[in-house]
Amino acid sequence: MLNVDLHCHSNVSDGALAPAQVAALAQAKGVDVWALTDHDEIGGIAEAREAAGDLGIRHVTGVEISITWAAQTIHIVGLRFDETNEDLRRGLASTRSGRERRAREMAAQLAEAGIPDAFEGALKYVGNPDLISRTHFARYIIERGICADVADVFRNFLIEGKPGFVPHRWATLKDAVSWIRGAGGIAVVAHPGRYDLDELSLDVFLREFKRWGGAGIEVITGSHTPDEYGEYASVARKYGLLASRGSDFHAPGESQVELGSLPALPASLVPVWHDWNL
Ligand code: AMP
Ligand code: MN
Ligand code: MN
Ligand code: MN
């Protein structure tokens, strides 16, 4: 069986390792087919592809686009697109814009909550000045000894109702799916178990996702519990969506799931890679 991992991050977004280091780790962990899916950014793809080629693992282009749908932030993974596509590149650039201003507001809130200098503190962890994320703030809050780990931070800070949360309008569902499709790629709903969607809202969301040309959904992801593997396997079957598998790895010792270290997709599902001639 192929070990396929189609979701992870480098320091081009909020991961801790450079793309080539992520590639080396993927190979060490036995990954055969790999996509680097940085948030709203494809600047790491050239390095990822070259490193994967040198290491003898198969690489497909990837990205994880932040969208706002019904006042919620949702992530859409794009796979196997042409990264030179101009509409996609412009769309991602516009999605990234505004992160610095948001980060300064987050820092101002944290200062009021007794955590000064968080903007500068977060920046120490940033590999790409265009992509300051909540993860970088989380690392600084841990460094200060205020929280024990990332999960602890995201219970007490940076989420709605807690210090350091600044609402943000990301791309639309239609735009994100259209950019990916327009560049020849496949759009996949990332970690569906993480959203606050009841059965009815999920139904509305997935119908709209399919209407714009979305085709896949993550079933086996580091963000799902074993119960959710089964739950979203049923969702994939019910909606006729291709199933994906990805660790959502960010950093050694920080992410619960290592690259490539996930159960296989249930045999009853059609993998997103079913027609990739691997
Ligand atoms: P941002 O794009 O700046 O809103 O940051 C989102 C990132 O924060 C996600 O991609 C995750 O890496 C991280 N994150 C959000 N919620 C959690 C959580 N509950 N536990 C761990 N990491 C989280
Ligand atoms: Mn992230
Ligand atoms: Mn995500
Ligand atoms: Mn991710």
Side-chain angles (χ1 to χ4, degrees), residues 92-159:
L92 294 176
S94 77
T95 307
R96 286 192 298 273
S97 72
R99 275 189 179 265
E100 182 178 333
R101 189 160 40 106
R102 169 185 184 242
R104 290 192 187 279
E105 286 179 39
M106 287 165 61
Q109 280 191 26
L110 290 171
E112 275 188 35
I115 308 174
D117 306 321
F119 184 79
E120 295 72 18
L123 263 191
K124 288 189 297 182
Y125 295 96
V126 170
N128 171 3
D130 269 2
L131 217 121
I132 314 179
S133 96
R134 286 186 290 162
T135 310
H136 302 113
F137 281 87
R139 292 189 184 127
Y140 175 65
I141 292 169
I142 294 163
E143 174 198 315
R144 294 279 312 251
I146 297 160
C147 288
D149 54 30
V150 174
D152 190 18
V153 175
F154 281 101
R155 275 190 299 268
N156 297 290
F157 298 96
L158 313 179
I159 57 171

Side-chain angles (χ1 to χ4, degrees), residues 7-9 14 37 39 64 75 77 190-191 194 248-250:
H7 189 151
C8 67
H9 300 271
D14 61 351
T37 54
H39 296 285
E64 181 176 18
H75 289 168
V77 164
H191 43 64
R194 281 220 338 227
D248 208 356
F249 172 81
H250 282 72

Side-chain angles (χ1 to χ4, degrees), residues 74-95:
I74 288 177
H75 289 168
I76 303 293
V77 164
L79 296 171
R80 238 179 159 228
F81 48 82
D82 167 13
E83 82 270 23
T84 66
N85 183 276
E86 276 303 323
D87 283 343
L88 172 72
R89 299 182 80 89
R90 260 195 305 273
L92 294 176
S94 77
T95 307

Side-chain angles (χ1 to χ4, degrees), residues 116-266:
D117 306 321
F119 184 79
E120 295 72 18
L123 263 191
K124 288 189 297 182
Y125 295 96
V126 170
N128 171 3
D130 269 2
L131 217 121
I132 314 179
S133 96
R134 286 186 290 162
T135 310
H136 302 113
F137 281 87
R139 292 189 184 127
Y140 175 65
I141 292 169
I142 294 163
E143 174 198 315
R144 294 279 312 251
I146 297 160
C147 288
D149 54 30
V150 174
D152 190 18
V153 175
F154 281 101
R155 275 190 299 268
N156 297 290
F157 298 96
L158 313 179
I159 57 171
E160 200 164 352
K162 303 286 182 183
F165 179 75
V166 176
H168 196 77
R169 183 172 288 277
W170 303 106
T172 65
L173 175 60
K174 176 186 180 209
D175 281 350
V177 174
S178 304
W179 297 332
I180 294 163
R181 294 250 304 155
I186 304 166
V188 176
V189 179
H191 43 64
R194 281 220 338 227
Y195 313 125
D196 183 19
L197 296 173
D198 61 19
E199 208 177 320
L200 180 62
S201 322
L202 182 67
D203 182 73
V204 175
F205 174 75
L206 291 177
R207 285 170 191 277
E208 190 179 331
F209 173 70
K210 288 188 70 171
R211 183 148 47 88
W212 300 127
I217 190 166
E218 287 183 349
V219 172
I220 304 294
T221 137
S223 298
H224 283 174
T225 62
D227 279 353
E228 287 171 328
Y229 297 157
E231 189 180 328
Y232 291 98
S234 302
V235 169
R237 277 188 292 266
K238 176 175 172 190
Y239 290 90
L241 290 164
L242 302 172
S244 193
R245 176 180 188 263
S247 55
D248 208 356
F249 172 81
H250 282 72
E254 181 180 291
S255 303
Q256 314 91 304
V257 173
E258 291 291 334
L259 274 159
S261 308
L262 295 158
L265 279 183

